[in-house]
Amino acid sequence: MRPDGRSNDQLRPFTIERGVAKFAEGSCLLKIGDTHMLVTATVEDRVPPFMKGKGSGWVTAEYSMLPRSGRQRNQRDLMKPNGRTMEIQRLIGRAMRTAVDLESMGERTITLDCDAIQADGGTRCAAITAAYVATFDAMQWMIGQRMLKQNVLKEPIAAVSVGIYRNQEILDLNYDEDSNAATDMNVVMTESGKFIEIQGTAEKEPLPVDALGRLLKLGNKGVKELIEIQKQVLGL
């Protein structure tokens, strides 16, 4: 039995709310269980120096956890993000760049600020899932400003965690499960079932090949459910 009584292939209860930040070009608040993630999208009519003159756009991300988003207070990254923060925001940026037709954006940048208001496991996955919604709305804003003729997102993407907990293969780990898992994995996928990124670690025993296949199948199930709600919220 899982700590919260869910079945092994069941997501935590989740909601997706768009347009929660008045002044941002796109924004989304995703609540999945006790993890609450706010993502805002900012559009700038320029690109980083290394992209200048290429006629292509850029999508980047910053990630943080508010000091009391977790069970203990964490320090703010006032000077330089720590290693974990850097890893997560690079993951979010890579995932979203895969989802966007950057050449059709022109030389413009979308910056995604991903802030964990409350953290109970799966914050990086929640950030990616919410970032898609915020980016979609930023694209719609750009259309309204005649910066784009159409939305240049290729297809919906989402992310979810899977793992081995008490010898069981489970979907969408909360903090208690994540901190005691024998294997923990994050799966980022497209609506069409293609993998963008897989991050996994066996904490105790090495993971058998057949178990990996089952975990990826479980992740695919969770991603499809998340994308279905994304599409409902966006009216797609």
Side-chain angles (χ1 to χ4, degrees):
M1 181 68 69
R2 301 179 69 172
D4 56 9
R6 285 181 290 147
S7 61
N8 287 354
D9 64 350
Q10 185 178 1
L11 293 170
R12 290 171 288 179
F14 69 94
T15 60
I16 297 175
E17 185 179 357
R18 63 196 289 211
V20 295
K22 179 177 180 179
F23 302 111
E25 284 77 65
S27 61
C28 177
L29 175 62
L30 186 148
K31 297 180 180 180
I32 184 161
D34 288 330
T35 290
H36 299 174
M37 178 64 62
L38 172 65
V39 177
T40 58
T42 300
V43 176
E44 295 177 283
D45 206 12
R46 60 185 178 87
V47 291
F50 65 87
M51 292 294 295
K52 283 186 177 180
K54 297 182 178 181
S56 182
W58 189 248
V59 180
T60 187
E62 294 189 9
Y63 167 94
S64 69
M65 290 176 58
L66 297 184
R68 276 317 307 264
S69 58
R71 304 187 182 199
Q72 296 178 340
R73 185 183 186 277
N74 57 283
Q75 295 291 326
R76 296 182 188 272
D77 294 332
L78 296 177
M79 299 299 293
K80 183 180 179 181
N82 61 41
R84 177 181 180 274
T85 297
M86 291 290 292
E87 180 227 337
I88 293 174
Q89 59 193 34
R90 286 171 178 167
L91 167 65
I92 300 165
R94 286 195 304 269
M96 290 310 306
R97 287 192 293 275
T98 301
V100 174
D101 181 357
L102 296 173
E103 291 184 0
S104 298
M105 271 181 64
E107 294 200 356
R108 301 181 179 95
T109 298
I110 296 177
T111 301
L112 298 161
D113 287 292
C114 310
D115 293 293
I117 300 171
Q118 195 166 278
D120 188 44
T123 57
R124 72 186 69 192
C125 294
I128 291 169
T129 304
Y132 174 81
V133 175
T135 302
F136 183 96
D137 280 346
M139 297 282 189
Q140 294 301 106
W141 179 88
M142 292 167 77
I143 293 170
Q145 299 296 309
R146 298 185 179 181
M147 299 167 76
L148 294 175
K149 292 183 178 180
Q150 61 184 12
N151 200 305
V152 296
L153 278 164
K154 298 174 185 176
E155 63 175 317
I157 70 167
V160 73
S161 63
V162 291
I164 307 291
Y165 173 75
R166 295 181 179 175
N167 298 316
Q168 298 290 311
E169 294 153 8
I170 63 172
L171 175 68
D172 187 23
L173 285 68
N174 63 22
Y175 177 82
D176 289 334
E177 293 167 333
D178 182 40
S179 58
N180 292 287
T183 295
D184 178 26
M185 188 176 297
N186 300 299
V187 180
V188 189
M189 296 184 69
T190 68
E191 182 183 22
S192 59
K194 297 175 183 176
F195 293 100
I196 294 175
E197 190 145 349
I198 301 167
Q199 296 182 329
T201 303
E203 301 285 353
K204 298 176 182 177
E205 295 295 326
L207 183 69
V209 172
D210 57 344
L212 173 61
R214 291 192 297 270
L215 286 175
L216 294 179
K217 185 176 180 180
L218 196 59
N220 184 32
K221 175 184 182 296
V223 164
K224 285 185 175 180
E225 292 177 17
L226 290 165
I227 288 176
E228 187 59 35
I229 299 300
Q230 284 177 333
K231 292 172 68 176
Q232 289 178 22
V233 169
L234 294 171
L236 300 178

